[in-house]
Amino acid sequence: NSINSNILAPSIQTEILTTCTSIHASIMPLNDQLRGPLARHSDKGTCLPFVFLVGNHSSGKSSFINYAMGRDVQTAGVAPTDDCFTVITPGPEDSDQDGPALIGDPDMGFSPLRQFGPTLIHHTQLKVRSNINTSSFMMVDSPGMIDSPMNQSGMNTNSTTTNRNNNNSNERNAIMDRGYDFQGVVQWFAERADVVLLFFDPDKPGTTGETLSVLLHSLGGMEHKLLIVLNKADQFEKIHDFARAYGSLCWNLSKVIPRKDLPRIFTMCLPVSEGSETAILGGGLADLQQTRDDVVAEVMKAPKRRIDNVITHLTDSVHLLLMHAKVAEDVRRRHGKILFDNRVQEVASLATGVGLASLGLYTQLPMEFTGGLVAVTILGVGGLRWFNGTKLSEAEARLLTSDELSTSFRRTHVKEISDADEFAASTWQRICEPLKNNLTAQGLGDFPALKESELGELNRILEEDIPKLRRLASPTHYGSK
C-alpha cells in the first residue's frame, strides 16, 4: 500500500479524483445511447467539497454556519430570513454574486442547476468570504422548510387510494409553493454533497410535512453522509420537555425511515450569551457541547469524505447503468424475437404464394387461376403484416409493463435473486420506473442493441478499476495489500 498514514497525500487524492472523473466520463456515451439513468453532467463535480444544510426554518442552520465558519456570514432569526440556496466559499476577500453568475460559472460546478428553471437560478447566490475557519470546502445553506397553507397537514396519512388520487395535485402544489422543484433541487445538492446536515428544532421536531417529505424522497440512500441534528436543546428548561420533543422527533422519523433502528440524532446547542447556559437539562450542557463538537468535526471532514464519496458515486453510477443496460437489452431481444417470428411468417407466406404461382405457370394452368393466386398471396401477406403489426404493438405495450420489466430483471439477475441480494433489489427499485419511461418514449423497435464489449467494460470497471481506487483511498491497516 502506497499510503503511509491515515491522511491521503495530495498527489494520491488528485490521482483518485482524476481517475474517477475519467471513468465516469467514459461511461456517459453508453448512458446517452441507452437513455440510461445517469443525469447529464453527473460526471462533473463541484470545484471544492461542500457541506449541505437543510431543515425547518429557524432551526439554526444559519447560526451553525456562522459558528462553523468563525464569523457572521448568514443572517439568523426566528422568522424565515432567506429564500435562497446560498453557496459560501472561501476566498481572498469578501464578495457576492447572484444566481445567474454562480450557475453560469463553468468552474464552480453548479451549472447543471439550470435544468430546474429560471426561478431557481434567481433564488441562488454565492458568498465568497475571507478569514473563515476553513479554506478547503464550501457550505451550502438552503431555504427553511415550512408547510404552505395548501399543505398544512404535511405528510398525507390517508389511504393508498387517496394518495394515488392526490399525487398529481400534490406535485403541482409542491411546484407552486416555491416556483421550482424544491425536492429535486435538494436531492441534486445532497447527491453531490460530502456531508448533509438535516436540522430540527424543539418547536417543530419533525412535524413539518415538507421536511419529512424531503427526508423520504430527496435524502433516501444517503445515510452514509447524513447527520440528523436536533438543535437548540438549550431551550429546554425541564427534562420532560426534552423527552417529549425527542420522542416526537423519533416518532415522526419512524414514518419515513422504514427500519427498526433509527439513526443517531445529534442533540446540541450553539453558544449563547455568557451565563445563560447554566443548569440546562439538569447540568447536561457538557453533553450538548460535546455533541456540537462532534458535528463540527464531521463538517471539517468534508474534504476527506470527498474521496470516498466520489468513488461511491462512481460505483453507484456503474451499477445503475449496468442493470439498466442488461434489463433493456433483454426486453429488446424479447421484442426482437417476436418481430423475427412475424417476419418469418410473412416471408413464408409470400414464398408459398410465389411458389404456387410459379408452379401454375410451369404447368400451364389457366392464367386466371395463376393471377388469382398472386392476388390472394399479395392480399394475404398484406393482411398478415397488418395483423402482425397490431400484435407487435400489443406485445410491445405488454413488454413495457412493470410486471414484464420485472420478469426481465429476474431473467438477467438469476444469481442475485437466488442469493437474496438486497443491493440488487434496491437498485432495481431505483431504475424500474425511469427505465419504463425511457423505453416507452423511444420505442423498442428503435432501441439500440447492447454490445458484449460494452457490457464487459462495465463489469471490468466494477471488478478491477473500482477496487484499485478503494485500495488507494483506504488508510493503512492490517490486511492492506
Side-chain angles (χ1 to χ4, degrees):
N1 197 322
S2 60
I3 303 173
N4 297 320
S5 68
N6 289 342
I7 300 177
L8 292 178
S11 59
I12 295 180
Q13 294 185 37
T14 301
E15 178 184 352
I16 292 174
L17 293 175
T18 302
T19 303
C20 285
T21 301
S22 175
I23 294 175
H24 207 300
S26 72
I27 66 175
M28 291 306 292
L30 179 62
N31 178 75
D32 295 339
Q33 175 187 339
L34 300 180
R35 300 175 69 99
L38 309 184
R40 290 183 60 193
H41 308 296
S42 61
D43 55 325
K44 297 177 175 62
T46 53
C47 60
L48 287 175
F50 71 92
V51 178
F52 180 50
L53 293 87
V54 64
N56 297 341
H57 75 89
S58 140
S59 58
K61 301 188 304 296
S62 298
S63 298
F64 180 81
I65 289 176
N66 294 339
Y67 177 76
M69 291 290 188
R71 60 168 290 189
D72 287 341
V73 178
Q74 291 288 82
T75 302
V78 176
T81 57
D82 198 351
D83 64 347
C84 292
F85 286 88
T86 304
V87 179
I88 305 159
T89 187
E93 58 183 27
D94 292 1
S95 63
D96 294 344
Q97 278 191 326
D98 57 21
L102 168 64
I103 293 178
D105 190 322
D107 299 322
M108 289 294 293
F110 296 99
S111 298
L113 286 171
R114 188 178 290 109
Q115 65 182 295
F116 294 101
T119 303
L120 172 70
I121 294 176
H122 295 293
H123 283 80
T124 57
Q125 60 180 336
L126 172 67
K127 292 184 178 181
V128 180
R129 292 295 181 266
S130 61
N131 300 320
I132 55 179
N133 286 342
T134 176
S135 61
S136 55
F137 66 90
M138 303 179 288
M139 299 189 80
V140 178
D141 196 5
S142 62
M145 290 183 282
I146 182 172
D147 283 343
S148 66
M150 67 183 70
N151 187 27
Q152 286 291 343
S153 61
M155 298 293 290
N156 192 337
T157 57
N158 294 333
S159 66
T160 303
T161 303
T162 304
N163 285 339
R164 188 164 53 246
N165 292 337
N166 289 337
N167 271 348
N168 291 336
S169 62
N170 287 342
E171 289 176 4
R172 287 194 297 269
N173 289 345
I175 297 297
M176 290 172 61
D177 280 347
R178 300 181 188 270
Y180 57 88
D181 181 7
F182 180 75
Q183 290 186 13
V185 177
V186 169
Q187 183 175 1
W188 189 93
F189 275 107
E191 286 176 346
R192 290 156 180 79
D194 299 285
V195 181
V196 180
L197 302 182
L198 177 60
F199 275 75
F200 295 95
D201 66 290
D203 184 46
K204 297 172 291 296
T207 57
T208 301
E210 188 175 40
T211 306
L212 295 179
S213 184
V214 162
L215 180 58
L216 177 64
H217 299 292
S218 302
L219 303 180
M222 302 183 196
E223 291 84 355
H224 63 287
K225 58 183 177 181
L226 176 64
L227 278 65
I228 298 177
V229 177
L230 178 59
N231 196 21
K232 299 185 177 181
D234 54 337
Q235 293 184 358
F236 298 112
E237 295 181 357
K238 298 179 181 179
I239 190 66
H240 74 263
D241 292 332
F242 167 76
R244 264 189 186 177
Y246 194 88
S248 177
L249 176 58
C250 292
W251 171 257
N252 284 289
L253 290 177
S254 69
K255 298 177 184 178
V256 294
I257 300 178
R259 298 192 309 272
K260 289 183 178 180
D261 299 321
L262 286 175
R264 177 185 176 185
I265 299 173
F266 292 82
T267 305
M268 56 168 254
C269 66
L270 297 175
V272 291
S273 58
E274 192 70 27
S276 62
E277 289 187 325
T278 59
I280 296 176
L281 291 179
L285 177 59
D287 288 338
L288 301 181
Q289 292 173 334
Q290 180 59 52
T291 303
R292 178 179 68 217
D293 293 341
D294 292 343
V295 175
V296 172
E298 291 297 325
V299 167
M300 295 301 172
K301 290 179 183 176
K304 295 181 183 179
R305 284 175 173 262
R306 167 55 62 100
I307 301 299
D308 288 333
N309 288 338
V310 166
I311 300 175
T312 299
H313 177 60
L314 174 62
T315 306
D316 187 59
S317 298
V318 177
H319 276 295
L320 288 171
L321 181 56
L322 179 61
M323 183 174 289
H324 175 100
K326 284 183 175 180
V327 176
E329 177 64 11
D330 182 78
V331 175
R332 189 198 65 80
R333 286 183 177 180
R334 292 169 66 188
H335 177 267
K337 185 179 184 305
I338 297 173
L339 178 61
F340 177 78
D341 292 342
N342 289 348
R343 294 294 179 264
V344 168
Q345 290 179 2
E346 295 162 10
V347 171
S349 298
L350 179 63
T352 301
V354 170
L356 291 175
S358 300
L359 181 63
L361 291 174
Y362 179 76
T363 57
Q364 298 182 350
L365 292 174
M367 290 301 297
E368 293 82 357
F369 175 81
T370 304
L373 190 59
V374 171
V376 168
T377 299
I378 294 174
L379 290 175
V381 171
L384 180 61
R385 187 174 182 85
W386 173 84
F387 177 78
N388 284 344
T390 302
K391 289 299 182 181
L392 184 64
S393 297
E394 294 176 356
E396 179 172 347
R398 186 181 70 254
L399 288 172
L400 293 178
T401 62
S402 298
D403 288 342
E404 288 297 323
L405 288 176
S406 295
T407 298
S408 289
F409 166 68
R410 291 191 292 270
R411 282 161 52 96
T412 54
H413 294 79
V414 175
K415 185 177 186 304
E416 289 84 351
I417 293 175
S418 64
D419 292 342
D421 189 334
E422 289 294 332
F423 178 79
S426 65
T427 303
W428 171 241
Q429 290 299 319
R430 292 171 60 190
I431 72 164
C432 178
E433 198 61 30
L435 174 63
K436 177 181 177 180
N437 294 336
N438 290 337
L439 290 176
T440 302
Q442 182 158 350
L444 295 179
D446 297 326
F447 201 80
L450 178 69
K451 300 177 183 177
E452 286 296 326
S453 60
E454 294 169 331
L455 199 62
E457 178 62 15
L458 293 177
N459 282 312
R460 189 195 65 78
I461 292 173
L462 288 175
E463 295 169 4
E464 297 180 15
D465 291 345
I466 290 177
K468 288 179 181 178
L469 291 169
R470 288 293 187 193
R471 290 189 182 102
L472 274 177
S474 175
T476 300
H477 56 86
Y478 295 112
S480 298
K481 295 183 179 180

